[in-house]
mmCIF file of all heavy atoms in Angstrom:
data_model
loop_
_atom_site.group_PDB
_atom_site.id
_atom_site.type_symbol
_atom_site.label_atom_id
_atom_site.label_comp_id
_atom_site.label_asym_id
_atom_site.label_seq_id
_atom_site.Cartn_x
_atom_site.Cartn_y
_atom_site.Cartn_z
ATOM 1 N N ALA A 20 3.462 -13.924 7.719
ATOM 2 C CA ALA A 20 2.439 -12.988 7.647
ATOM 3 C C ALA A 20 2.451 -11.916 8.792
ATOM 4 O O ALA A 20 2.649 -12.361 9.971
ATOM 5 C CB ALA A 20 1.094 -13.661 7.669
ATOM 6 N N LEU A 21 2.282 -10.700 8.534
ATOM 7 C CA LEU A 21 2.242 -9.608 9.555
ATOM 8 C C LEU A 21 0.817 -9.142 9.738
ATOM 9 O O LEU A 21 0.581 -8.399 10.620
ATOM 10 C CB LEU A 21 3.142 -8.455 9.131
ATOM 11 C CG LEU A 21 4.619 -8.668 9.007
ATOM 12 C CD1 LEU A 21 5.328 -7.459 8.447
ATOM 13 C CD2 LEU A 21 5.165 -9.069 10.373
ATOM 14 N N GLY A 22 -0.053 -9.486 8.848
ATOM 15 C CA GLY A 22 -1.461 -9.059 9.013
ATOM 16 C C GLY A 22 -1.937 -8.467 7.704
ATOM 17 O O GLY A 22 -1.259 -8.481 6.653
ATOM 18 N N SER A 23 -3.054 -7.843 7.741
ATOM 19 C CA SER A 23 -3.647 -7.187 6.553
ATOM 20 C C SER A 23 -4.294 -5.846 6.920
ATOM 21 O O SER A 23 -4.649 -5.601 8.112
ATOM 22 C CB SER A 23 -4.670 -8.097 5.897
ATOM 23 O OG SER A 23 -5.739 -8.373 6.728
ATOM 24 N N THR A 24 -4.335 -4.982 5.974
ATOM 25 C CA THR A 24 -4.974 -3.611 6.154
ATOM 26 C C THR A 24 -5.941 -3.432 5.072
ATOM 27 O O THR A 24 -5.653 -3.668 3.863
ATOM 28 C CB THR A 24 -3.829 -2.561 6.124
ATOM 29 O OG1 THR A 24 -2.887 -2.850 7.143
ATOM 30 C CG2 THR A 24 -4.440 -1.159 6.304
ATOM 31 N N ALA A 25 -7.144 -2.962 5.381
ATOM 32 C CA ALA A 25 -8.194 -2.696 4.332
ATOM 33 C C ALA A 25 -7.809 -1.508 3.540
ATOM 34 O O ALA A 25 -7.266 -0.499 3.942
ATOM 35 C CB ALA A 25 -9.533 -2.467 5.072
ATOM 36 N N THR A 26 -8.141 -1.591 2.205
ATOM 37 C CA THR A 26 -8.015 -0.520 1.241
ATOM 38 C C THR A 26 -9.417 -0.303 0.638
ATOM 39 O O THR A 26 -10.331 -1.113 0.855
ATOM 40 C CB THR A 26 -6.996 -0.793 0.206
ATOM 41 O OG1 THR A 26 -7.433 -1.887 -0.598
ATOM 42 C CG2 THR A 26 -5.660 -1.048 0.764
ATOM 43 N N ASP A 27 -9.491 0.747 -0.162
ATOM 44 C CA ASP A 27 -10.763 0.872 -0.963
ATOM 45 C C ASP A 27 -10.869 -0.207 -1.978
ATOM 46 O O ASP A 27 -9.946 -0.914 -2.303
ATOM 47 C CB ASP A 27 -10.779 2.258 -1.608
ATOM 48 C CG ASP A 27 -11.183 3.378 -0.629
ATOM 49 O OD1 ASP A 27 -12.404 3.398 -0.325
ATOM 50 O OD2 ASP A 27 -10.297 4.174 -0.180
ATOM 51 N N ALA A 28 -12.119 -0.361 -2.535
ATOM 52 C CA ALA A 28 -12.364 -1.506 -3.505
ATOM 53 C C ALA A 28 -11.574 -1.410 -4.737
ATOM 54 O O ALA A 28 -11.310 -0.356 -5.289
ATOM 55 C CB ALA A 28 -13.912 -1.416 -3.838
ATOM 56 N N GLY A 29 -11.177 -2.594 -5.194
ATOM 57 C CA GLY A 29 -10.548 -2.791 -6.475
ATOM 58 C C GLY A 29 -9.011 -2.481 -6.484
ATOM 59 O O GLY A 29 -8.514 -1.950 -7.435
ATOM 60 N N THR A 30 -8.395 -2.828 -5.401
ATOM 61 C CA THR A 30 -6.915 -2.561 -5.302
ATOM 62 C C THR A 30 -6.229 -3.238 -6.479
ATOM 63 O O THR A 30 -6.357 -4.361 -6.782
ATOM 64 C CB THR A 30 -6.346 -3.095 -4.003
ATOM 65 O OG1 THR A 30 -6.946 -2.417 -2.918
ATOM 66 C CG2 THR A 30 -4.836 -2.883 -3.910
ATOM 67 N N VAL A 31 -5.410 -2.423 -7.229
ATOM 68 C CA VAL A 31 -4.754 -2.963 -8.489
ATOM 69 C C VAL A 31 -3.221 -2.723 -8.392
ATOM 70 O O VAL A 31 -2.522 -3.417 -9.138
ATOM 71 C CB VAL A 31 -5.358 -2.312 -9.775
ATOM 72 C CG1 VAL A 31 -6.781 -2.773 -10.027
ATOM 73 C CG2 VAL A 31 -5.128 -0.847 -9.731
ATOM 74 N N ASP A 32 -2.734 -1.823 -7.649
ATOM 75 C CA ASP A 32 -1.293 -1.549 -7.657
ATOM 76 C C ASP A 32 -0.966 -0.829 -6.407
ATOM 77 O O ASP A 32 -1.780 -0.197 -5.674
ATOM 78 C CB ASP A 32 -0.941 -0.730 -8.839
ATOM 79 C CG ASP A 32 0.563 -0.861 -9.265
ATOM 80 O OD1 ASP A 32 1.302 -1.595 -8.529
ATOM 81 O OD2 ASP A 32 0.968 -0.276 -10.219
ATOM 82 N N ALA A 33 0.336 -0.821 -6.046
ATOM 83 C CA ALA A 33 0.863 -0.092 -4.891
ATOM 84 C C ALA A 33 2.271 0.353 -5.124
ATOM 85 O O ALA A 33 3.018 -0.295 -5.928
ATOM 86 C CB ALA A 33 0.810 -0.991 -3.619
ATOM 87 N N ALA A 34 2.743 1.376 -4.478
ATOM 88 C CA ALA A 34 4.097 1.891 -4.590
ATOM 89 C C ALA A 34 4.468 2.554 -3.269
ATOM 90 O O ALA A 34 3.661 3.076 -2.588
ATOM 91 C CB ALA A 34 4.196 2.924 -5.703
ATOM 92 N N THR A 35 5.741 2.435 -2.983
ATOM 93 C CA THR A 35 6.301 3.090 -1.735
ATOM 94 C C THR A 35 7.069 4.305 -2.127
ATOM 95 O O THR A 35 7.575 4.407 -3.254
ATOM 96 C CB THR A 35 7.231 2.193 -1.000
ATOM 97 O OG1 THR A 35 8.313 1.769 -1.791
ATOM 98 C CG2 THR A 35 6.486 0.966 -0.458
ATOM 99 N N SER A 36 7.139 5.248 -1.179
ATOM 100 C CA SER A 36 7.944 6.466 -1.438
ATOM 101 C C SER A 36 9.419 6.062 -1.407
ATOM 102 O O SER A 36 9.788 5.006 -0.860
ATOM 103 C CB SER A 36 7.698 7.503 -0.269
ATOM 104 O OG SER A 36 7.973 6.926 0.949
ATOM 105 N N SER A 37 10.302 6.916 -2.029
ATOM 106 C CA SER A 37 11.709 6.563 -2.114
ATOM 107 C C SER A 37 12.353 6.347 -0.754
ATOM 108 O O SER A 37 13.345 5.590 -0.669
ATOM 109 C CB SER A 37 12.376 7.564 -2.936
ATOM 110 O OG SER A 37 12.307 8.863 -2.327
ATOM 111 N N ASP A 38 11.850 7.040 0.272
ATOM 112 C CA ASP A 38 12.421 6.877 1.644
ATOM 113 C C ASP A 38 11.809 5.677 2.363
ATOM 114 O O ASP A 38 12.226 5.473 3.527
ATOM 115 C CB ASP A 38 12.355 8.223 2.415
ATOM 116 C CG ASP A 38 10.843 8.596 2.653
ATOM 117 O OD1 ASP A 38 9.901 7.843 2.319
ATOM 118 O OD2 ASP A 38 10.685 9.722 3.164
ATOM 119 N N GLY A 39 10.868 4.981 1.827
ATOM 120 C CA GLY A 39 10.265 3.833 2.422
ATOM 121 C C GLY A 39 9.353 4.142 3.626
ATOM 122 O O GLY A 39 8.932 3.228 4.364
ATOM 123 N N ARG A 40 8.915 5.447 3.744
ATOM 124 C CA ARG A 40 8.034 5.774 4.858
ATOM 125 C C ARG A 40 6.584 5.773 4.561
ATOM 126 O O ARG A 40 5.740 5.809 5.450
ATOM 127 C CB ARG A 40 8.490 7.181 5.364
ATOM 128 C CG ARG A 40 9.884 7.193 5.984
ATOM 129 C CD ARG A 40 10.312 8.549 6.404
ATOM 130 N NE ARG A 40 9.336 9.175 7.289
ATOM 131 C CZ ARG A 40 9.103 10.462 7.423
ATOM 132 N NH1 ARG A 40 9.786 11.326 6.700
ATOM 133 N NH2 ARG A 40 8.167 10.912 8.234
ATOM 134 N N PHE A 41 6.255 5.742 3.238
ATOM 135 C CA PHE A 41 4.791 5.786 2.840
ATOM 136 C C PHE A 41 4.467 4.771 1.801
ATOM 137 O O PHE A 41 5.299 4.455 0.946
ATOM 138 C CB PHE A 41 4.496 7.222 2.282
ATOM 139 C CG PHE A 41 4.753 8.298 3.367
ATOM 140 C CD1 PHE A 41 5.930 9.024 3.299
ATOM 141 C CD2 PHE A 41 3.789 8.588 4.319
ATOM 142 C CE1 PHE A 41 6.148 9.963 4.299
ATOM 143 C CE2 PHE A 41 4.045 9.560 5.314
ATOM 144 C CZ PHE A 41 5.207 10.258 5.281
ATOM 145 N N LEU A 42 3.289 4.308 1.815
ATOM 146 C CA LEU A 42 2.756 3.335 0.841
ATOM 147 C C LEU A 42 1.486 3.963 0.193
ATOM 148 O O LEU A 42 0.620 4.439 0.971
ATOM 149 C CB LEU A 42 2.420 2.032 1.509
ATOM 150 C CG LEU A 42 1.628 1.000 0.640
ATOM 151 C CD1 LEU A 42 2.629 0.449 -0.448
ATOM 152 C CD2 LEU A 42 1.112 -0.122 1.451
ATOM 153 N N TYR A 43 1.459 3.989 -1.086
ATOM 154 C CA TYR A 43 0.296 4.470 -1.842
ATOM 155 C C TYR A 43 -0.324 3.301 -2.595
ATOM 156 O O TYR A 43 0.339 2.577 -3.308
ATOM 157 C CB TYR A 43 0.720 5.579 -2.788
ATOM 158 C CG TYR A 43 1.458 6.690 -2.078
ATOM 159 C CD1 TYR A 43 2.809 6.702 -2.109
ATOM 160 C CD2 TYR A 43 0.693 7.646 -1.391
ATOM 161 C CE1 TYR A 43 3.558 7.772 -1.416
ATOM 162 C CE2 TYR A 43 1.408 8.655 -0.722
ATOM 163 C CZ TYR A 43 2.783 8.695 -0.721
ATOM 164 O OH TYR A 43 3.424 9.732 -0.051
ATOM 165 N N VAL A 44 -1.620 3.187 -2.418
ATOM 166 C CA VAL A 44 -2.394 2.005 -2.971
ATOM 167 C C VAL A 44 -3.421 2.524 -3.921
ATOM 168 O O VAL A 44 -4.291 3.324 -3.607
ATOM 169 C CB VAL A 44 -2.996 1.162 -1.912
ATOM 170 C CG1 VAL A 44 -3.856 -0.006 -2.523
ATOM 171 C CG2 VAL A 44 -1.963 0.655 -0.910
ATOM 172 N N GLN A 45 -3.387 2.061 -5.169
ATOM 173 C CA GLN A 45 -4.348 2.520 -6.187
ATOM 174 C C GLN A 45 -5.531 1.515 -6.092
ATOM 175 O O GLN A 45 -5.370 0.316 -6.296
ATOM 176 C CB GLN A 45 -3.767 2.446 -7.594
ATOM 177 C CG GLN A 45 -4.723 2.851 -8.649
ATOM 178 C CD GLN A 45 -4.080 2.698 -10.018
ATOM 179 O OE1 GLN A 45 -3.104 2.098 -10.221
ATOM 180 N NE2 GLN A 45 -4.795 3.220 -11.031
ATOM 181 N N ALA A 46 -6.716 2.047 -5.867
ATOM 182 C CA ALA A 46 -7.976 1.293 -5.842
ATOM 183 C C ALA A 46 -8.743 1.707 -7.012
ATOM 184 O O ALA A 46 -9.451 2.740 -7.071
ATOM 185 C CB ALA A 46 -8.661 1.517 -4.537
#
Side-chain angles (χ1 to χ4, degrees):
L21 295 175
S23 61
T24 301
T26 64
D27 279 286
T30 298
V31 294
D32 202 0
T35 58
S36 60
S37 60
D38 62 7
R40 295 178 52 209
F41 301 97
L42 172 71
Y43 304 98
V44 178
Q45 180 185 13

